[in-house]
């Protein structure tokens, strides 16, 4: 069986330690709570907390529906049918966070504080959402194979089970209590000139501010270069349409203060951001402008996605006390 080295990017001269034994990726069915894995794109060690069922709207897949439809974004687009796809809530090994922080935010899962200050956001470090195909499963004889402050609070070792880590009651209670701002339901994907953009929006809740309601969403974006040519993200251009009738344009350099380079060696970049509307729903779409080595530019489409508010509004957690 293949032995599995710990993720790369270690200081020179250090020998890679063996962390486990690879297993065959699942073609059918889903991974269980407690499954250890390496992330196939970002290379970190992680463990599955629980699966989510998402609707994947993939604009790269030819749809049987060919007629054009006007969407709220105001431009004609093909009707895209959603397909059910499995995503996982996972813990990232804290030892790997420093090595992936330039490629993927390790504090991307956020929620609103449960008090009057509507701008107070809390982040939970080392949580991620991964698609089924991101997972390279492995097994380990180590009883604490993942270093994360929530590992032993959420999981316990049970050698009679496969995988041998089972959910504690605290994990089930945490998922039940916090699912309104953890749950992902829609995933949107589109590829332009071999750059694939994946967007996952999350509704975070509503806050009252100056006698009006403000609705908040988090959106997670992954950019992947499917080609061998090196490109660099230079600008973002967003259009944000609110049900209240406003249309906002946002332009800026890079994303989250960075202008990531996507190369064959490091083909992906992932980040999260937030948007608020004074309406319970809206739409966002836009483009990322990339630069090639010769100085030429091209625009990559961000697939339109809807911002919907959950009908069953629940109170967000007040800090991380479970």
């Amino acid at each position: 069986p293949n032995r599995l080295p710990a993720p790369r990017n270690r200081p020179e001269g250090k020998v890679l330690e063996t962390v486990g034994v690879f297993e065959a990726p699942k073609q059918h069915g889903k991974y269980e709570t407690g499954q250890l894995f390496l992330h196939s794109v970002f290379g970190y060690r992680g463990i599955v907390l629980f699966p989510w069922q998402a609707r994947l709207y993939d604009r790269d897949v030819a749809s049987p529906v060919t007629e054009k439809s006007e969407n709220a974004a105001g431009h004609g687009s093909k009707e895209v049918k959603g397909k059910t796809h499995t995503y996982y809530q996972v813990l990232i090994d804290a030892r790997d966070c420093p090595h992936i922080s330039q490629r993927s935010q390790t504090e991307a899962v956020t929620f609103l504080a449960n008090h009057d200050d509507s701008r107070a956001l809390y982040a939970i470090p080392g949580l991620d959402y991964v698609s089924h195909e991101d997972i390279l499963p492995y097994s380990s004889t180590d009883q604490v194979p993942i270093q994360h402050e929530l590992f032993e609070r959420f999981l316990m070792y049970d050698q009679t089970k496969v995988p041998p880590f089972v959910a504690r009651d605290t994990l089930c209670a945490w998922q039940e209590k916090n699912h309104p701002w953890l749950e992902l339901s829609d995933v949107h994907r589109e590829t332009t000139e071999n750059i694939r953009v994946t967007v996952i929006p999350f509704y975070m809740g509503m806050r009252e501010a100056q006698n009006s309601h403000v609705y908040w969403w988090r959106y997670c974006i992954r950019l992947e270069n499917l080609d061998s040519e090196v490109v660099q993200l230079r600008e973002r251009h967003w259009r944000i349409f609110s049900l209240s009738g406003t249309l906002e344009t946002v332009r800026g350099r890079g994303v989250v203060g960075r202008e990531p380079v996507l190369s064959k060696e490091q083909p992906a970049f992932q980040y999260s951001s937030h948007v608020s509307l004074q309406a319970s729903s809206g739409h966002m779409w836009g483009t990322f402008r990339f630069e090639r080595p010769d100085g030429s530019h091209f625009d990559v489409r961000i697939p339109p996605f809807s911002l919907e508010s959950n009908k069953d509004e629940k109170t967000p957690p007040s800090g991380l006390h479970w």
Side-chain angles (χ1 to χ4, degrees):
N2 270 329
R3 296 252 160 218
L4 190 65
R8 54 195 182 282
N9 304 340
R10 295 277 179 249
E12 277 188 60
K14 275 205 167 183
V15 178
L16 291 180
E17 69 265 34
T18 299
V19 299
V21 179
F22 267 126
E23 298 169 351
K26 283 194 176 186
Q27 304 298 324
H28 307 286
K30 58 178 184 271
Y31 296 105
E32 302 297 327
T33 295
Q35 176 65 57
L36 294 165
F37 69 92
L38 273 191
H39 194 295
S40 67
V41 178
F42 296 112
Y44 64 72
R45 289 165 282 186
I47 193 164
V48 170
L49 292 181
F50 40 79
W52 293 115
Q53 288 303 113
R55 287 187 302 275
L56 175 63
Y57 296 94
D58 194 339
R59 289 173 173 268
D60 304 334
V61 176
S63 172
V65 181
T66 52
E67 75 268 13
K68 299 269 184 178
S69 68
E70 283 290 316
N71 59 21
H75 52 257
S77 69
K78 279 194 183 136
E79 196 66 57
V80 183
K81 288 273 190 283
K83 274 176 43 184
T84 303
H85 197 72
T86 304
Y87 275 71
Y88 301 92
Q89 190 93 54
V90 306
L91 293 181
I92 304 173
D93 195 309
R95 292 168 293 188
D96 297 333
C97 284
H99 305 294
I100 64 164
S101 62
Q102 289 303 305
R103 312 302 307 166
S104 178
Q105 283 176 331
T106 56
E107 296 197 348
V109 176
T110 52
F111 61 92
L112 291 167
N114 190 17
H115 52 69
D116 296 338
D117 179 4
S118 65
R119 290 201 165 272
L121 282 172
Y122 284 86
I124 306 179
L127 264 191
D128 198 4
Y129 294 89
V130 302
S131 171
H132 186 82
E133 60 270 16
D134 290 338
I135 286 184
L136 296 173
Y138 72 91
S139 57
S140 170
T141 54
D142 190 343
Q143 293 194 17
V144 187
I146 300 295
Q147 288 185 16
H148 191 290
E149 58 181 343
L150 298 176
F151 178 84
E152 293 187 77
R153 192 184 288 188
F154 282 171
L155 299 158
M156 61 185 163
Y157 184 75
D158 182 345
Q159 61 182 20
T160 67
K161 297 286 198 301
V162 179
F165 305 100
V166 295
R168 292 182 185 271
D169 291 345
T170 45
L171 176 58
C172 304
W174 183 75
Q175 181 188 11
E176 175 62 30
K177 179 179 175 185
N178 298 321
H179 87 86
W181 53 269
L182 282 177
E183 181 174 11
L184 82 172
S185 56
D186 293 350
V187 178
H188 302 265
R189 197 158 69 188
E190 185 167 5
T191 305
T192 311
E193 299 203 34
N194 286 314
I195 305 296
R196 184 162 66 193
V197 180
T198 305
V199 185
I200 311 176
F202 298 85
Y203 176 58
M204 296 174 69
M206 181 267 289
R207 285 289 174 275
E208 293 192 26
Q210 289 95 42
N211 299 322
S212 68
H213 290 164
V214 179
Y215 297 82
W216 284 82
W217 289 264
R218 173 176 83 245
Y219 55 93
C220 188
I221 292 192
R222 188 195 292 186
L223 302 160
E224 288 175 275
N225 185 355
L226 308 178
D227 198 9
S228 55
E229 183 178 58
V230 178
V231 295
Q232 184 167 14
L233 191 156
R234 290 301 192 187
E235 295 172 31
R236 67 186 185 281
H237 179 199
W238 282 107
R239 308 298 297 274
I240 304 163
F241 173 80
S242 167
L243 191 65
S244 61
T246 61
L247 180 61
E248 189 183 354
T249 297
V250 179
R251 290 179 181 273
R253 298 283 296 177
V255 289
V256 292
R258 299 195 195 159
E259 296 180 21
V261 174
L262 304 183
S263 63
K264 197 167 186 177
E265 294 68 41
Q266 298 196 308
F269 181 80
Q270 184 170 290
Y271 75 96
S272 282
S273 192
H274 301 87
V275 62
S276 62
L277 300 177
Q278 290 187 317
S280 59
S281 67
H283 274 79
M284 287 178 67
W285 70 99
T287 52
F288 292 122
R289 175 153 291 187
F290 278 84
E291 186 177 342
R292 298 187 183 93
D294 65 7
S296 63
H297 293 86
F298 64 100
D299 286 338
V300 170
R301 288 184 299 277
I302 305 167
F305 58 96
S306 58
L307 302 168
E308 303 288 350
S309 56
N310 293 1
K311 302 298 175 278
D312 57 336
E313 176 73 51
K314 291 192 176 69
T315 308
S318 51
L320 294 180
H321 309 294
W322 298 304

